[in-house]
Amino acid sequence: MKADDGSSIMSLNRFILEEAMVNADLSHLKDMENLMAALQLACKKIQSLVACADIANLTGYQGGGGSVNVQGEEQKKLDVLSNEVLKASLGFSGKMGVIASEEEDEPVLVDETYSGNYICVFDPLDGSSNIDAGIATGTIFGIFTDNCSVLTSDWKDRIDGNELKAMFSTMQPGSNLVCAGYCMYSSSTVLVLTFGAGTHAFTLDREIGEFVLTQRNIQIPQNASIYSFNEANEPNWDPVLKQFVTELREKGCSSRYIGSMVADVHRTLMYGGVFGYPGDAKNPNGKLRLLYECAPMSFIVEQAGGLATTGRQRVMDIIPDTVHQRMPLVLGSKNDVQRLIDSYAKHDSAAE
């Protein structure tokens, strides 16, 4: 839905209020206004930092190089800044109980003064390796409630009480998400969201400083026209995946790969296609994180009528083993992703 004039503009805050009235069964929507106000503020600030990165000397590595996150990846300056912006904004929302970031070693409890009942997992700046080249980047996030945990009992003997509580709340399957979204920082700043009743896009109107609804109930085309894989890794792929990508080429799909997940998934969502960062001989579990990237993006795509899989398992059903667990991911147009799922099932059945 696009506004034709100022009088018909629907802000994100107004959208949430109307969705809460229409979807009375989604009780979490009543709390989303405060949470989304915090996330909107953080995304606006990160957008500003990204836009002036060269001018403000925010490109390059943190501390001149040598600063690494828990995965052993060297951190860019904007990785660290974006992480701090999100933590501060969410921490004072009054609704957040636990915050878990790709850039942090472990989930952290919010100060009791401001604590709430929700858990936010996020990748503060996806695609930051491209930031010095001015390529699109983004923030990915997912929100859980703290009333359902699947943490196995053996963790109780391995960590202290506060860590246990944070872990207990965080390590949930994607099927427990009540909200997921990404904010893409590009020629425009676009916030794509789902609260479990469709996927919607909001664009930042810089004149009024608000995210306004620009696409309601996005539906990804059921057949792919584009595929998005890092084909440099093809020699290490398994035969099923190699054949699948070959078939995509043969049916006329174009290859488009930016190397920034938010940008690649956004294009896939808009035009139809298949995005993948699969496992291979070198990285059997792929490189994307289940909690911070795979589960939120899978929720968004499924709510838009697509599918998301590891090839053998629905991503949304996977219970994390660790907070930084990596997971193979293929998502996008329903018919093509289903064909990959069927190919793996046939391959596995023949191997038995």
Side-chain angles (χ1 to χ4, degrees):
M1 184 176 111
K2 294 189 178 182
D4 295 323
D5 55 60
S7 64
S8 60
I9 286 175
M10 180 176 285
S11 69
L12 176 53
N13 290 341
R14 176 183 155 197
F15 177 85
I16 294 169
L17 289 173
E18 293 192 5
E19 286 291 292
M21 289 187 287
V22 173
N23 299 285
D25 55 320
L26 300 178
S27 58
H28 60 273
L29 282 172
K30 297 176 183 178
D31 295 323
M32 284 297 122
E33 189 176 5
N34 279 4
L35 282 174
M36 291 313 304
L39 280 164
Q40 286 182 75
L41 179 62
C43 289
K44 291 174 191 176
K45 179 60 178 176
I46 295 170
Q47 182 274 328
S48 177
L49 291 170
V50 168
C52 67
D54 281 323
I55 299 169
N57 193 30
L58 294 177
T59 56
Y61 291 103
Q62 176 73 2
S67 175
V68 297
N69 63 18
V70 67
Q71 290 92 26
E73 299 166 334
E74 201 161 14
Q75 292 176 305
K76 294 287 187 105
K77 294 176 185 177
L78 279 173
D79 285 324
V80 177
L81 280 172
S82 300
N83 189 54
E84 293 303 316
V85 166
L86 276 159
K87 284 169 58 183
S89 187
L90 289 167
F92 289 101
S93 68
K95 297 293 183 180
M96 202 59 59
V98 178
I99 295 172
S101 168
E102 181 179 301
E103 300 298 329
E104 301 283 339
D105 290 355
E106 304 290 351
V108 294
L109 292 173
V110 174
D111 187 293
E112 288 186 6
T113 307
Y114 306 102
S115 184
N117 298 320
Y118 291 89
I119 301 95
C120 189
V121 295
F122 57 83
D123 178 354
L125 194 62
D126 170 72
S128 60
S129 61
N130 293 319
I131 196 73
D132 296 358
I135 294 172
T137 56
T139 297
I140 305 169
F141 60 88
I143 297 174
F144 296 101
T145 59
D146 70 352
N147 61 0
C148 46
S149 175
V150 290
L151 187 65
T152 54
S153 59
D154 62 327
W155 277 90
K156 296 179 181 179
D157 300 324
R158 294 153 57 185
I159 53 180
D160 67 28
N162 284 337
E163 288 179 308
L164 179 63
K165 184 176 179 181
M167 287 280 197
F168 194 85
S169 300
T170 304
M171 291 172 62
Q172 301 187 45
S175 56
N176 287 350
L177 285 165
V178 296
C179 173
Y182 62 80
C183 189
M184 183 176 68
Y185 313 115
S186 186
S187 56
S188 58
T189 301
V190 182
L191 182 60
V192 176
L193 288 170
T194 181
F195 300 109
T199 295
H200 318 283
F202 302 81
T203 302
L204 180 61
D205 184 332
R206 290 183 174 87
E207 289 189 4
I208 62 174
E210 293 283 349
F211 282 99
V212 297
L213 181 66
T214 46
Q215 288 180 279
R216 184 193 289 271
N217 289 322
I218 297 168
Q219 289 294 302
I220 183 171
Q222 292 195 350
N223 294 298
S225 59
I226 296 169
Y227 68 94
S228 185
F229 290 77
N230 184 350
E231 293 178 89
N233 294 327
E234 185 170 4
N236 295 321
W237 292 346
D238 64 54
V240 174
L241 186 63
K242 285 182 180 179
Q243 181 60 31
F244 174 69
V245 174
T246 297
E247 291 171 359
L248 290 175
R249 294 190 196 109
E250 290 175 347
K251 79 169 194 169
C253 289
S254 300
S255 175
R256 300 285 186 272
Y257 184 73
I258 298 170
S260 173
M261 185 186 186
V262 166
D264 281 317
V265 170
H266 187 71
R267 184 194 54 247
T268 299
L269 198 62
M270 295 296 105
Y271 300 148
V274 180
F275 166 83
Y277 207 115
D280 57 34
K282 186 178 179 182
N283 298 290
N285 295 318
K287 286 193 172 182
L288 300 176
R289 284 76 176 179
L290 174 57
L291 275 173
Y292 312 114
E293 296 161 320
C294 298
M297 286 301 204
S298 297
F299 191 24
I300 292 165
V301 169
E302 286 193 0
Q303 285 294 314
L307 293 177
T309 181
T310 66
R312 293 180 167 89
Q313 189 174 4
R314 179 178 178 243
V315 172
M316 294 283 284
D317 292 335
I318 300 171
I319 299 171
D321 292 327
T322 67
V323 291
H324 294 289
Q325 180 180 354
R326 297 177 191 264
M327 188 62 54
L329 176 67
V330 177
L331 57 74
S333 295
K334 181 178 181 179
N335 291 343
D336 295 277
V337 177
Q338 185 62 56
R339 190 159 46 80
L340 177 65
I341 294 169
D342 293 343
S343 295
Y344 272 112
K346 182 178 179 180
H347 173 271
D348 295 345
S349 178
E352 290 177 356

